[in-house]
Amino acid sequence: MTKSEVGIIGLGVMGGSLAKNMISKGFSVSVYNRYTDTEKDIVPNFLKDTSNKAQGFTDISQFVNSLNSPRKILMMVTAGAAVDAVISELTPLVDEGDIVADGGNSHFQDTQRRVEELKERGIHYLGVGISGGEEGALRGPCIMPGGNGDAYAQFQNILETIAAKDKNGNACVSLVGPDGAGHLVKTVHNGIEYGEMQLIADCFAILSPTHSHEEIAGIFNQWNQGDHQSYLLGITAAILKKKEGDAYLIDKVLDKAGNKGTGSWTSQLAFKLGIPTPTINAAVTARYLSSQKEDRMKLSKNIPDHAIDEIPSIEALEATYRACRILNHHQGFEVIRAASEMYQWNINLSELARIWTEGCIIKSKLMEDFVDVFKEKTRILDDNTLLRTILRSEKPFLYTLIYSLKYRLLNNCISESYNYYSFLTTEKSTAHIIQAQRDEFGAHTYRRNDRPENESFTSNWTDNG
Ligand code: 6PG
């Protein structure tokens, strides 16, 4: 039996689609899926779907034996305990120098741990963020590998061949950095994704009392022609038009959002690093609030109707959406910059933005601007053009915020983005009050604006005698 160039473990939606992508590009592929009562047909069905162009296994040691050395194995299993379970089955079977990659949405600290555990046995471990959903996996995803450069070099040709291509024809894959770097940037990609999704949902909330779904889809489609062009905006316009019989399908969707954790991981990481990410946090919070449907149904009965006698300005909303998106991305990239500094990963933000221009869920025209911004600057708001865009949007931003507050329309990401912008552009903060309070109750000391910053002081604040 000829040996395969690459093996895939887990034939779920993403694993199956990636395997098909590899087969379509001419790679010889072995696939493995565990055999259980509910999963026993998965491997035979996959082989049927691909006209037996792969070698299929339900026995993991036969699967491992079917691979060329050094073996290249991509695990596509649910993040968490399942990854550790597969690793413990694999490790006795693979050899030194083999490469095991995890293409799921794993927590980057789990990946860091696994890199170290496998290193002790001479096995290379790559943590690979993959974005693009089923369609992306099949036709060209964005791939964010993290790990050892030599191990990546073994996988590089396969990953570059199956990945999406940017506008210059370059593959949307790049070694992001060592150990957990790939999974960390995938997590923050998802945090930005949460923000982008909720911002569109906020725009919908503001438009929907006065506009039909078709009209809102028309507005989103029009925005999507210009500088707002993004995958998420495009699909939302299509979603709003989808009908089931005479009714719009979207009206039948229960308004409780699911989540698999990567959004909250981004917020947790941001808090750990001390990087403010209020737009992303608001998107995570909006999902949690949405889940409290029973409370919302009960409590909303106490709230009088807010008659809306004013149509929102579409121009103002558009300017608001533009500003909020820049702020959302600024926050996400700031988390990556700070994490990269902390772990000394040296992540190239311009290259990261480049691989995010195609294949992934947050691909957009704005992302293409960031490729150039990060060649010159370390932070998005250091770019004068983008900063001026936000400054110019101040009035429409405020108008949209006031409109949504006045009519009690949900605005989680818009309002948090506004407050973030407002704080960031205010010279004098309120922290002198906080510092004095801390000093009073805990002698935590404070610094003075009329003395060098390295000097600290303490006072008895309540003794005015
Ligand atoms: C992607 C997506 C993908 C997945 C999210 C959904 O980049 O292809 O982000 O990874 O759809 O994990 O996350 P939630 O279930 O948390 O919305």
Side-chain angles (χ1 to χ4, degrees):
M1 199 193 339
T2 51
K3 300 223 170 188
S4 300
E5 288 161 275
V6 59
I8 297 205
I9 294 182
L11 290 177
V13 174
M14 292 298 282
S17 301
L18 285 168
K20 287 178 186 164
N21 185 344
M22 289 178 188
I23 293 167
S24 76
K25 301 285 168 16
F27 292 107
S28 54
V29 179
S30 288
V31 294
Y32 163 81
N33 201 90
R34 65 184 173 181
Y35 185 94
T36 64
D37 276 354
T38 51
E39 292 179 65
K40 59 177 179 287
D41 295 331
I42 290 186
V43 171
N45 284 346
F46 180 84
L47 295 178
K48 201 155 74 189
D49 272 8
T50 52
S51 317
N52 287 312
K53 285 197 181 123
Q55 300 190 52
F57 300 92
T58 51
D59 178 308
I60 196 157
S61 68
Q62 287 175 7
F63 162 78
V64 170
N65 283 332
S66 77
L67 298 170
N68 260 335
S69 275
R71 298 184 181 88
K72 293 176 272 301
I73 298 171
L74 178 61
M75 293 185 294
M76 294 302 302
V77 298
T78 311
V83 175
D84 287 313
V86 172
I87 291 173
S88 50
E89 280 187 74
L90 265 181
T91 32
L93 304 171
V94 293
D95 294 318
E96 273 195 24
D98 285 351
I99 303 140
V100 176
D102 168 17
N105 277 332
S106 289
H107 194 290
F108 77 96
Q109 285 174 325
D110 284 338
T111 302
Q112 290 180 304
R113 169 178 56 79
R114 291 166 186 149
V115 166
E116 291 308 316
E117 285 168 2
L118 293 190
K119 200 189 276 170
E120 283 169 20
R121 313 180 69 127
I123 301 161
H124 298 298
Y125 192 78
L126 298 174
V128 185
I130 301 180
S131 176
E134 182 178 8
E135 189 64 15
L138 199 57
R139 308 205 187 286
C142 162
I143 308 177
M144 298 151 248
N148 168 288
D150 293 336
Y152 172 64
Q154 305 272 356
F155 243 114
Q156 191 168 356
N157 178 43
I158 297 172
L159 299 183
E160 285 182 352
T161 308
I162 63 162
K165 304 295 173 291
D166 70 13
K167 63 176 184 190
N168 299 315
N170 297 315
C172 289
V173 53
S174 189
L175 183 66
V176 177
D179 66 274
H183 277 143
L184 180 133
V185 301
K186 176 60 189 0
T187 293
V188 179
H189 164 286
N190 284 21
I192 297 172
E193 174 185 297
Y194 273 50
E196 292 292 282
M197 293 167 77
Q198 189 61 45
L199 282 169
I200 298 172
D202 284 4
C203 291
F204 173 84
I206 290 167
L207 290 169
S208 81
T210 50
H211 293 75
S212 68
H213 290 348
E214 293 286 340
E215 285 168 337
I216 300 172
I219 292 165
F220 287 174
N221 270 329
Q222 201 189 339
W223 290 0
N224 205 34
Q225 303 305 310
D227 61 325
H228 300 298
Q229 192 281 322
S230 79
Y231 168 74
L232 285 169
L233 189 60
I235 62 164
T236 311
I239 286 166
L240 291 176
K241 288 163 83 106
K242 173 79 180 168
K243 288 212 162 165
E244 190 182 68
D246 288 340
Y248 287 97
L249 184 53
I250 193 69
D251 291 333
K252 300 190 175 179
V253 178
L254 183 65
D255 56 336
K256 280 180 170 181
N259 81 90
K260 296 199 203 76
T262 44
S264 61
W265 291 352
T266 305
S267 296
Q268 286 162 18
L269 176 64
F271 275 116
K272 191 170 152 197
L273 294 165
I275 298 291
T277 54
T279 308
I280 295 170
N281 305 347
V284 176
T285 302
R287 290 203 192 185
Y288 295 156
L289 278 166
S290 80
S291 297
Q292 300 187 339
K293 175 84 180 172
E294 291 68 27
D295 284 345
R296 291 189 289 112
M297 281 169 56
K298 204 161 35 160
L299 293 170
S300 66
K301 296 201 170 35
N302 302 307
I303 307 300
D305 278 348
H306 283 63
I308 298 183
D309 49 14
E310 196 188 342
I311 292 182
S313 156
I314 310 293
E315 290 71 30
L317 187 61
E318 183 182 1
T320 304
Y321 178 57
R322 182 180 288 113
C324 289
R325 288 192 64 219
I326 297 171
L327 294 166
N328 180 39
H329 283 84
H330 174 78
Q331 295 166 24
F333 275 100
E334 273 291 277
V335 174
I336 295 172
R337 184 187 59 74
S340 174
E341 269 173 27
M342 184 168 97
Y343 291 108
Q344 301 182 330
W345 280 342
N346 210 12
I347 297 176
N348 179 334
L349 296 183
S350 171
E351 178 62 2
L352 181 62
R354 183 192 71 72
I355 68 171
W356 281 354
T357 59
E358 281 300 334
C360 67
I361 303 295
I362 60 170
K363 64 184 176 184
S364 72
K365 200 159 183 303
L366 184 60
M367 194 63 79
E368 290 180 8
D369 296 343
F370 299 146
V371 178
D372 292 330
V373 166
F374 284 121
K375 284 183 184 151
E376 307 280 330
K377 310 283 184 194
T378 40
R379 306 176 332 151
I380 288 173
L381 293 187
D382 291 342
D383 179 81
N384 280 333
T385 311
L386 292 171
L387 181 63
R388 272 202 305 272
T389 301
I390 302 178
L391 295 173
R392 264 202 315 271
S393 308
E394 169 139 1
K395 272 200 178 140
F397 207 157
L398 197 54
Y399 162 86
T400 305
L401 183 63
I402 292 170
Y403 179 90
S404 55
L405 291 173
K406 181 171 166 193
Y407 295 114
R408 226 172 176 282
L409 305 171
L410 297 184
N411 64 7
N412 297 56
C413 279
I414 289 177
S415 56
E416 286 303 317
S417 303
Y418 183 83
N419 285 324
Y420 175 72
Y421 159 74
S422 162
F423 204 128
L424 257 188
T425 50
T426 298
E427 186 184 340
K428 179 93 181 157
S429 81
T430 49
H432 50 321
I433 307 292
I434 308 296
Q435 288 299 81
Q437 289 166 335
R438 292 174 72 235
D439 189 47
E440 170 56 24
F441 61 64
H444 293 294
T445 75
Y446 62 97
R447 288 166 294 172
R448 300 176 60 112
N449 57 25
D450 56 356
R451 300 292 283 268
E453 267 213 41
N454 57 1
E455 289 178 31
S456 47
F457 299 86
T458 187
S459 299
N460 184 345
W461 291 87
T462 46
D463 177 9
N464 276 323

